[in-house]
Amino acid sequence: MSAKMITIDGTEVPFEAGQTIMDAALAADIYIPHLCHKPGLSPHGSCKLCTVDVDGRAVSACTLPAAEGQKIENNTPALNEVRKTITQMLFVEGNHLCPSCEKSGDCTLQAVGYHLGMLDGHFPQFYPRRAVDASHPTLMLDRDRCIMCELCVRASREIDGKDVFAISGRGTGRQLIVNSATGKLADSDIETDDLAAHICPVGAILIKDHGYEVPIGRRTFDLHSVAETDLEEIILKKTVHHDQDDESVEKEGGMYSA
Amino acid sequence: MSPSKKREACTVPKVRVATTSLAGCFGCHMSFLDMDERIVGLLEHVEFSRSPINDIKHCEPCDIGLIEGALCNADNVHVLKEFRENCKILIAVGACAINGGVPAMRNNFTLAECLEEAFLDEIGVDNPQIPNDVEIPLLLSKVHPIHEVVKVDYYLPGCPPPADAFVKILTDLLEGKEPSLPKDMLHYD
Ligand code: SF4
Ligand code: SF4
Ligand code: FES
């Protein structure tokens, strides 16, 4: 069977039936900027950072299935400018005061800002005032940094089998909620070892007593660009997939370690 | 009058730079001075108007204004407007000027809560009263980045920005180029 092909920025990329444009691109080591996508979880389509032009139409690469002959533009100045604007929107919508954030240097949102050369937030700040939940003995939740990517929601539901998180409310009033009787993290089933406790790409879900441990200069994105780390993650997943017998490998040592 | 006379005496007129700290911590100015001996070379091309490093009380007409700090009180707004009216190019320097920075964490509370905590309820306060003198500028109800009040021409991120970033942006401007920051000088923390 001859491989089916799409073209990304002029490069031919093979794909298999059922793969999205994002799947095919990552498998071919082509970086499409993304925040709400994580291989192994169902696609979400909320951050819009993966917006690409397919035959002249703007679409989300993480949700659109690859189809024979698609001509895709990805790494263009125009698209990266749009992505920068989207990133600025995410920054002003929350309280991203990176100088005091434990996730600085390890934050994917911040790294995307660097990748796109973002210098400022451009828009007026929203300065939201959402509740911090520090009820849990080992975890805490700073909702003002949440970008509503629902990675924690999906990780808890699809991998941990717990359904700890959800997004509630409408419009700018949306926020992350905890599915427990009291709405508190302490009264949910979440445990420190859960994927949902570690998957947050920003500083919204934090492990208590573990901040500022890595020296500046040695943090994830001091050493690698977001493009490198996101592609590396896929390479890890490829190795992990050979080891299907041991289910724990994927969760502990594989794509989600870091 | 005399400063401008002095300028005419030079063969090449120097670029005038003014700097100020609004709701800043002076860390951006310290980082500026972290360019160390490179400041000697810079001073061959640049002279300073109002700045915390000299005694000039008001911003004179300038080529470049560097603003550190967010807006937290009425005086900050007046100073910022004075800079905008006098500077051809205004640069927001550091996280506070750009998005409010760490001082903007007080936006999670009402102004009354902040003042009561600091001047009435805090442990060790004697004669508790909230300062109320016309000499003292009134606090704004929220901290704001400077671009919400005046037009900003360029942004220099970081808390503080590295000394190299100051050198880069000023060198670019002195050479008449559009300033750009290399990736390794770009950080928000
Ligand atoms: S979550 Fe990321 S972008 Fe937001 S304050 Fe923390 S480091 Fe900065
Ligand atoms: S808490 Fe983190 S992982 Fe969950 S929705 Fe918010 S940003 Fe995404
Ligand atoms: S990665 Fe596609 S919309 Fe977020």
Side-chain angles (χ1 to χ4, degrees), chain A residues 13-62:
Chain A
V13 172
F15 70 95
E16 287 158 29
Q19 276 189 320
T20 60
I21 293 172
M22 179 71 82
D23 295 333
L26 291 176
D29 282 351
I30 293 173
Y31 175 64
I32 300 177
H34 57 276
L35 278 170
C36 72
H37 185 70
K38 202 57 115 171
L41 294 175
S42 57
H44 194 240
S46 63
C47 75
K48 294 293 168 241
L49 223 69
C50 69
T51 300
V52 291
D53 275 340
V54 178
D55 301 319
R57 216 173 116 237
V59 298
S60 302
C62 69

Side-chain angles (χ1 to χ4, degrees), chain A residues 17 37 41 76 97 105 108 110-111 127 132 144-145 147 151 166 184-185 196 200 202 205 213 215 232 235 245 252:
Chain A
H37 185 70
L41 294 175
T76 68
L97 309 171
T108 314
Q110 187 188 63
Y127 291 132
V132 168
D144 291 339
R145 298 188 193 128
I147 56 168
L151 280 172
K184 291 280 179 207
L185 216 44
C200 183
V202 295
I205 301 176
E213 282 175 335
E232 198 172 315
I235 294 156
D245 316 337
E252 286 170 21

Side-chain angles (χ1 to χ4, degrees), chain B residues 14 35 38-48 53:
Chain B
K14 286 189 174 182
M35 72 173 72
R38 284 176 289 178
I39 200 161
V40 178
L42 186 70
L43 286 171
E44 284 172 21
H45 307 284
V46 158
E47 64 184 359
F48 284 93
I53 62 174

Side-chain angles (χ1 to χ4, degrees), chain A residues 91 95-100 104-105 110 113-129 144 216 219, chain B residues 95 98-102 104-105 107-110 113 142-145 147-148 155-159 181 183 186-189:
Chain A
F91 264 83
N95 292 333
H96 294 285
L97 309 171
C98 302
S100 68
S104 194
Q110 187 188 63
Y114 297 159
H115 176 78
L116 299 169
M118 186 190 97
L119 299 177
D120 72 309
H122 183 81
F123 302 102
Q125 291 283 145
F126 283 32
Y127 291 132
R129 290 165 68 175
D144 291 339
I216 290 175
R219 302 168 303 182
Chain B
I98 291 172
N99 72 0
V102 171
M105 288 174 114
N107 294 349
N108 273 12
F109 306 91
T110 65
E113 283 169 334
K142 280 194 175 191
V143 173
H144 292 274
H147 77 86
E148 291 184 13
Y155 297 86
L156 200 53
C159 189
L181 276 190
K183 287 260 151 78
L186 175 58
H187 60 78
Y188 311 146
D189 59 0

Side-chain angles (χ1 to χ4, degrees), chain A residues 141 146-152 167 176 199-202 204-205:
Chain A
L141 187 58
C146 172
I147 56 168
M148 325 246 176
C149 65
E150 295 205 20
L151 280 172
C152 61
I167 298 283
L176 189 76
I199 202 166
C200 183
V202 295
I205 301 176

Side-chain angles (χ1 to χ4, degrees), chain A residues 80-108:
Chain A
N80 284 331
E81 197 57 34
V82 170
R83 290 168 179 149
K84 187 168 88 184
T85 304
I86 293 169
T87 310
Q88 288 171 321
M89 290 166 141
L90 288 170
F91 264 83
V92 301
E93 192 264 352
N95 292 333
H96 294 285
L97 309 171
C98 302
S100 68
C101 179
E102 294 87 346
K103 210 58 186 280
S104 194
D106 293 311
C107 167
T108 314

